[in-house]
Amino acid sequence: MNELIHNNHNRATIRWKLLTGASVFALTACISSGTAANAEDTKPLIWIELGGQMDHLGGAHEIYSPKFFASAAPTVRATMIEVQRPAPDSFGENGKIAFTPEGSDWIFSAAIRYGRSSASKHRHYETSHPTVPFTSRGTILAGAGIFRMALGDGQGGTSESHLLLDFQAGKDVGLGFLGKDGTSVVSAGVRIAQFTSKTNISLHARPIYESLPAFGSPGKYSFHSCYFQSNTALIQSRRNTHAVGPSISWDASLPFAGNASDMEITLDWGVNAAVLFGRERAHVHQETQGYYFKGIAGVVPKYTSSYVHTPPDQDRSRSVTIPSVGGFAGLSLKFPNAKVSIGYRYDTFLKAMDAGIDAAKKSDVAFNGPYASISIGLGD
C-alpha cells in the first residue's frame, strides 16, 4: 500500500485513540455521579450516542480486462489487476439521538452512519531481461543473443463512501419472556441509504520486447533487429445508489452484573431488516491503445501497426429494490446517565450497486467490523 493508504490508517488510529480517551473520561465522570446517585429509579428522557467503527468492506467492482491481457504474462496481468482493487477496510462514524416522552415506554430515534475509504496505488513489474544465445544453422554465435523482456505497470485510485439514515419509533416491550429485567425495543421506521464509488485507473503493458543484437564483444551490443508490443488502457468510473424504504429492528439489552441505580454491565444485541427502493447509476469511460513494431537496426521499421479503441461511454440508470439485513452484539458498561459500549456489527445490502463495465453487473454492498460508542443521558 502506498503513502495515502498509510495516512488513512493513521487517521483511523488517531480517531480510535480519541474515542478511547473520551470513553475513559466518560467513565470517570459517570463513576463520580454514580456514587452520589440515590436508589430512586430515574431515567433520562434523551440519549445522545457518538461512536466509530472499523469496517471490512464486501462487494467489488468488475476487474477491467482489456484485450491485450490475453497476450500478457500471468505476472504482468496480476500487476495490472492488483492496482484496480479497492481498499479492503474503511473507518466509519455514527451518531444517534433517542427521545422517550416522560411517563411513556415509546422511544423515538434518529441515527446516522457514515464510512469512507480510498486507495491510491502504483504497481510495476518487469522480467529480469534474460539473453538467449543466438544460433545460426545450429551453431551458437559468440557475442550474439536474443534479448527478451515483458513489462506491466498500473497506477490510479479508488474510493467509496456509504451513508445510512434511520428514523424510527419503537416500544419497549421488556424481556419478560426470558424471566429477566432489561430492555427489548421493537421499532419501525424509514431507512435512507446512499452508496458511492469512483475509480481512475491507467494500465500499461509490454507483453514482449525482443531484440537481436549484432555481433560484438560480450555485453556490448548494437541492436540488429527488434520486435515489441506496447499497450495502454484507461478506465474511469463513477457509481452511486440512492434508496429509501421501510425498516424494522429489534434491540435488546440484558444486565448480568451490577445494579441499575449505580453501575451495571449488560449484554446487548439486535437485528434489523429493510426493503429499499431507489435508483442506481453508473458512468464508465474506457479507452485502449496499442502499438506493434518490428524493425531492422532498431530504427528502420519493417512492420508497424497501431490502434486506438474508445467505445462510447456507458451511462446506465435503473430503478432497484434492495433488501437489507444486519445485526450486532456487544457489551455495555452502563450508569444512570451514561453508557460505554463495544461490540461487532454487520450489515449487507443485496445487489445494491452496478459494478459492471460494458454491461450492468449487480454487486452487494456489505460492511462489518468492531465498533465502540459513548452515550450520554439528559433530562432526568
Side-chain angles (χ1 to χ4, degrees):
M1 294 297 176
N2 64 8
E3 182 179 354
L4 178 57
I5 299 177
H6 290 306
N7 289 340
N8 287 339
H9 285 301
N10 290 339
R11 288 195 292 269
T13 302
I14 292 172
R15 292 190 183 99
W16 277 99
K17 288 181 178 179
L18 291 175
L19 184 58
T20 303
S23 300
V24 173
F25 176 78
L27 281 173
T28 303
C30 290
I31 292 173
S32 299
S33 62
T35 304
N38 54 38
E40 184 180 354
D41 185 16
T42 60
K43 295 183 178 180
L45 302 180
I46 299 174
W47 282 94
I48 298 175
E49 176 184 315
L50 296 174
Q53 176 173 331
M54 294 296 296
D55 287 318
H56 178 72
L57 304 175
H61 295 154
E62 182 179 357
I63 295 296
Y64 183 42
S65 300
K67 290 184 178 180
F68 61 79
F69 267 36
S71 60
T75 47
V76 172
R77 287 197 300 270
T79 298
M80 293 184 287
I81 289 174
E82 171 61 23
V83 77
Q84 299 183 54
R85 300 192 186 281
D89 302 294
S90 73
F91 182 85
E93 296 96 5
N94 67 274
K96 181 177 180 180
I97 182 168
F99 170 66
T100 302
E102 189 171 1
S104 171
D105 53 9
W106 282 91
I107 301 173
F108 302 92
S109 64
I112 181 172
R113 288 179 59 191
Y114 176 74
R116 69 278 188 199
S117 67
S118 62
S120 180
K121 302 179 183 179
H122 180 204
R123 298 290 185 269
H124 180 86
Y125 172 83
E126 60 184 69
T127 56
S128 57
H129 310 179
T131 299
V132 181
F134 179 70
T135 62
S136 177
R137 298 178 182 180
T139 302
I140 298 178
L141 302 181
I146 300 175
F147 173 80
R148 291 193 176 106
M149 182 182 76
L151 177 147
D153 189 274
Q155 58 184 329
T158 63
S159 65
E160 72 80 34
S161 67
H162 52 270
L163 172 68
L164 301 178
L165 296 172
D166 287 290
F167 302 93
Q168 291 190 318
K171 188 176 179 64
D172 187 353
V173 297
L175 289 172
F177 66 95
L178 292 178
K180 297 286 186 178
D181 295 329
T183 62
S184 175
V185 180
V186 178
S187 304
V190 174
R191 165 165 281 189
I192 301 171
Q194 174 180 298
F195 310 112
T196 65
S197 71
K198 295 181 181 180
T199 62
N200 186 359
I201 304 293
S202 64
L203 307 172
H204 179 69
R206 186 177 293 164
I208 185 171
Y209 182 99
E210 182 176 284
S211 298
L212 172 61
F215 303 124
S217 59
K220 295 181 182 287
Y221 304 119
S222 60
F223 290 138
H224 177 267
S225 67
C226 65
Y227 167 74
F228 70 86
Q229 303 176 27
S230 181
N231 301 276
T232 302
L234 170 70
I235 183 167
Q236 299 171 327
S237 70
R238 300 189 306 274
R239 311 170 194 271
N240 65 78
T241 298
H242 298 79
V244 60
S247 66
I248 58 173
S249 66
W250 175 45
D251 296 338
S253 179
L254 179 65
F256 63 88
N259 59 81
S261 62
D262 185 14
M263 180 187 73
E264 62 183 356
I265 302 175
T266 64
L267 174 64
D268 309 323
W269 71 90
V271 293
N272 66 82
V275 179
L276 309 180
F277 305 92
R279 183 165 291 273
E280 64 180 19
R281 299 176 176 85
H283 173 83
V284 183
H285 169 79
Q286 58 175 309
E287 57 185 76
T288 55
Q289 300 180 29
Y291 181 71
Y292 305 86
F293 175 87
K294 186 173 183 179
I296 300 175
V299 293
V300 180
K302 183 177 181 182
Y303 173 77
T304 62
S305 176
S306 64
Y307 76 90
V308 176
H309 179 58
T310 306
D313 288 357
Q314 292 286 322
D315 280 295
R316 299 188 293 267
S317 178
R318 63 182 63 195
S319 298
V320 291
T321 299
I322 304 172
S324 170
V325 293
F328 72 92
L331 295 172
S332 292
L333 184 61
K334 189 175 181 180
F335 302 90
N337 61 348
K339 181 174 68 172
V340 177
S341 303
I342 58 172
Y344 197 92
R345 180 183 287 122
Y346 175 85
D347 286 281
T348 184
F349 299 82
L350 304 179
K351 302 184 183 303
M353 290 283 281
D354 178 355
I357 296 177
D358 296 316
K361 181 180 179 180
K362 298 289 187 176
S363 176
D364 298 343
V365 174
F367 32 89
N368 62 91
Y371 70 86
S373 65
I374 306 170
S375 301
I376 303 296
L378 305 173
D380 291 358

